[in-house]
Amino acid sequence: MNCGKCTWFIPDAFYPETDKGDYVSHEAVCVLNTGEKDANISITLYFENKDPIGGFKAVCGAKRTNHIRMDKIVSCEGKKVERGVPYAMLVESDVPVVVQYSRLDTTQAEMSFMGLLAY
C-alpha cells in the first residue's frame, strides 16, 4: 500500500527565537511512508520578504516514519532555519507520503503544542 501525495504545503511555520526551561522549542515535518520504496524528501522554505531557500533534504525509509526536526536540518549550502522568522514550506517527495507538521513552543509559562496535517 502506497498512500499519500508527492507534494505538500505547510503555510504557517515558525521556529521561536527563545526557549524557557528545560525544553527546546522546535518544529517537525513528520513523514509517513507506507510504500515499498524509500522516499527522498526535499523541503523549500518561503518567506514574506526574501527569496526562498531550498536544498533541505531527508529520506523516509520504506514502511517507516521520519520526524524531520527543523531545528536540526541543514541545507546543501549549509543554511539553517532562522529563528523568529515566519515562513512556509513546500515538501516534495519522489514517492507518495503523508505529511504532518508539529510545533512545540516553550516560550510561554506553559508549553504549547500544535500538530496538523499539511495540505
Side-chain angles (χ1 to χ4, degrees), residues 41-109:
I41 309 296
S42 176
I43 300 173
T44 303
L45 310 182
Y46 292 85
F47 303 92
E48 293 176 356
N49 58 359
K50 61 182 174 180
D51 290 339
I53 299 174
F56 294 92
K57 306 285 184 191
V59 174
C60 183
K63 298 186 179 182
R64 299 286 186 264
T65 65
N66 185 354
H67 292 73
I68 304 164
R69 288 272 302 260
M70 298 307 292
D71 59 322
K72 298 187 181 297
I73 196 167
V74 178
S75 77
C76 299
E77 296 176 353
K79 296 183 180 182
K80 295 182 178 182
V81 175
E82 188 176 347
R83 293 185 86 153
V85 176
Y87 65 100
M89 286 185 258
L90 166 61
V91 180
E92 298 173 288
S93 174
D94 61 347
V95 298
V97 295
V98 176
V99 173
Q100 178 183 2
Y101 168 78
S102 64
R103 179 189 308 155
L104 176 65
D105 186 343
T106 66
T107 60
Q108 307 300 313

Side-chain angles (χ1 to χ4, degrees), residues 6-70:
C6 292
T7 304
W8 295 87
F9 297 96
I10 301 168
D12 179 21
F14 184 77
Y15 180 24
E17 211 166 343
T18 59
D19 303 306
K20 290 187 179 173
D22 295 331
Y23 296 97
V24 175
S25 293
H26 67 272
E27 305 170 286
V29 173
C30 309
V31 179
L32 168 62
N33 180 2
T34 62
E36 301 288 335
K37 182 179 169 189
D38 290 355
N40 295 294
I41 309 296
S42 176
I43 300 173
T44 303
L45 310 182
Y46 292 85
F47 303 92
E48 293 176 356
N49 58 359
K50 61 182 174 180
D51 290 339
I53 299 174
F56 294 92
K57 306 285 184 191
V59 174
C60 183
K63 298 186 179 182
R64 299 286 186 264
T65 65
N66 185 354
H67 292 73
I68 304 164
R69 288 272 302 260
M70 298 307 292

